[in-house]
Amino acid sequence: MPELPEVETVTRGLARVLTGRRIRRVELRRDGLRFPFPEGFAARLEGSLITGLSRRAKYILVNLDSSLCLLIHLGMTGRFTVLGDTALGHGEFYYKSETAKTGSGAHDHVVFTLDDGARVIYTDPRRFGIMDLLLESEMTTHKLLKDIGVEPLGNALSSSYLAKKFHRKSAPLKAALLDQQIIAGLGNIYVSEALHRTGLSPKRKAGSLVRRKAVDPRLDELVRNVRNILNEAILAGGSTLQDFAGSDGVEGTYQQRFAVYDREGEPCQKSGCGGTIRRIVQSGRSSFYCPTCQK
DNA sequence: AGTCGAGCCTGCTGGC
DNA sequence: TGCCAGCAGGCTCGAC
């Protein structure tokens, strides 16, 4: 279930296992995921030292001493399992998706073996995930990275930035916020949540929040809420990671805190609102909102 | 140019 | 109980 907070959580978890380790072996159990693996994928990774991990939008970037970088996208159902003795201790660490793990291993597509003996397994039933290799110098020119917008947790996201991007935009707010070329890493859930907290309808045209002179104060509030919600979710996911212990995957706790997502028919939680959460479909995807308090 | 729908895959859920 | 439509947290491409 990877949106930005989930990818951030996985990246942090993997960083503790992978950083400083050398990749001993890469086993590919099929030709590719969403795209074919690049030429010589396994061979180019084997023997490399992992110098660090970072995240850009919903992409995980694994930096190697060979000035190569392994780019990973979890798609909809990608997850990692770490088996063996690692820096995290002995046991198993999951990033577990909503869908139960199959257990059969039928969807284990890539297995990395590290120099400390740990095995890092990439599982992805739907195979919407991506793995690619790029040079560090291609970080801003790579096909998948070059058009990506600002990170929502960084300083570059501001109400004036949004005002510029939304100016004369006729697409609904929902679609504009999902647009990775505007904001990097926002997904279907957190867009619904941020719009609800801000009291803005997902159907409203993005351009309607831009006036000629002053920046609409609702854009300030939207930016604040996007940040707060993402940070709250990262905290909830992070606490899950710290709880890793046994062989059971532990899910992030933020799901319990959704105000609108997947709550169709339930009463709006905003005090004094009294509305009922609705589900509509926008550009093929579910939007959840309260028609009473989101205008 | 901007916007929208279809498609990529598999698995789970809910309604009949 | 069994079947089948509908749905899923992402992204790209093509058509309008």
Side-chain angles (χ1 to χ4, degrees):
Chain A
M1 43 158 77
E3 289 188 34
L4 185 150
E6 293 70 47
V7 178
E8 180 67 26
T9 300
V10 174
T11 303
R12 290 179 188 182
L14 285 177
R16 292 196 287 165
V17 175
L18 296 179
T19 305
R21 300 265 61 89
R22 208 170 275 280
I23 300 173
R24 190 190 287 161
R25 184 168 137 69
V26 179
E27 182 190 346
L28 305 177
R29 298 189 175 167
R30 55 183 311 118
D31 295 338
L33 301 166
R34 181 180 180 83
F35 306 115
F37 294 119
E39 197 66 25
F41 182 63
R44 291 163 74 191
L45 287 171
E46 285 170 353
S48 295
L49 182 72
I50 298 166
T51 56
L53 278 79
S54 57
R55 177 191 60 73
R56 173 79 173 109
K58 295 167 196 161
Y59 293 96
I60 300 169
L61 299 163
V62 183
N63 291 329
L64 306 167
D65 63 343
S66 52
S67 80
L68 273 179
C69 180
L70 167 62
L71 173 148
I72 300 167
H73 195 293
L74 300 172
M76 300 274 266
T77 53
R79 68 173 188 266
F80 281 99
T81 309
V82 179
L83 299 175
D85 292 304
T86 72
L88 286 174
H90 177 77
E92 204 166 320
F93 156 80
Y94 282 113
Y95 172 65
K96 184 170 174 285
S97 70
E98 274 278 306
T99 53
K101 72 165 189 158
T102 60
S104 65
H107 302 297
D108 297 345
H109 305 308
V110 184
V111 181
F112 302 88
T113 305
L114 306 179
D115 59 358
D116 61 358
R119 303 204 316 145
V120 181
I121 301 168
Y122 179 74
T123 309
D124 187 358
R126 284 176 77 179
R127 302 203 300 277
F128 283 2
I130 295 168
M131 286 196 198
D132 199 5
L133 284 175
L134 57 147
L135 295 167
E136 272 173 26
S137 57
E138 295 175 310
M139 220 57 113
T140 55
T141 56
H142 185 274
K143 181 174 184 286
L144 297 169
L145 301 177
K146 67 180 167 62
D147 292 323
I148 286 180
V150 301
E151 287 289 330
L153 298 179
N155 292 331
L157 177 63
S158 64
S159 52
S160 56
Y161 170 82
L162 280 190
K164 206 170 80 186
K165 291 293 184 181
F166 287 179
H167 184 56
R168 302 177 67 88
K169 204 172 183 55
S170 66
L173 258 183
K174 170 75 183 315
L177 291 171
L178 273 181
D179 186 344
Q180 300 298 299
Q181 297 192 24
I182 299 179
I183 303 181
L186 269 193
N188 207 36
I189 288 176
Y190 297 107
V191 167
S192 277
E193 294 296 313
L195 287 174
H196 177 258
R197 198 176 284 190
T198 316
L200 290 169
S201 168
K203 296 193 285 189
R204 169 193 279 274
K205 288 188 194 315
S208 71
L209 286 177
V210 183
R211 303 206 194 106
R212 253 174 313 189
K213 290 211 169 165
V215 168
D216 192 309
R218 288 173 295 186
L219 278 182
D220 283 314
E221 209 189 324
L222 181 60
V223 167
R224 212 162 36 239
N225 287 333
V226 163
R227 284 214 182 91
N228 288 343
I229 285 168
L230 292 177
N231 279 321
E232 290 163 19
I234 289 171
L235 282 178
S239 61
T240 296
L241 274 188
Q242 289 166 6
D243 290 342
F244 106 95
S247 54
D248 297 324
V250 184
E251 293 184 7
T253 56
Y254 54 83
Q255 299 178 78
Q256 301 153 18
R257 294 206 250 147
F258 293 158
V260 286
Y261 186 82
D262 206 19
R263 290 192 183 278
E264 183 181 20
E266 295 183 28
C268 177
Q269 296 174 5
K270 275 203 178 169
S271 66
C273 170
T276 303
I277 306 306
R278 278 196 60 199
R279 170 185 176 273
I280 57 172
V281 174
Q282 292 179 288
S283 27
R285 319 217 33 209
S286 291
S287 297
F288 297 89
Y289 78 112
C290 171
T292 306
C293 68
Q294 291 180 250
K295 298 296 179 191

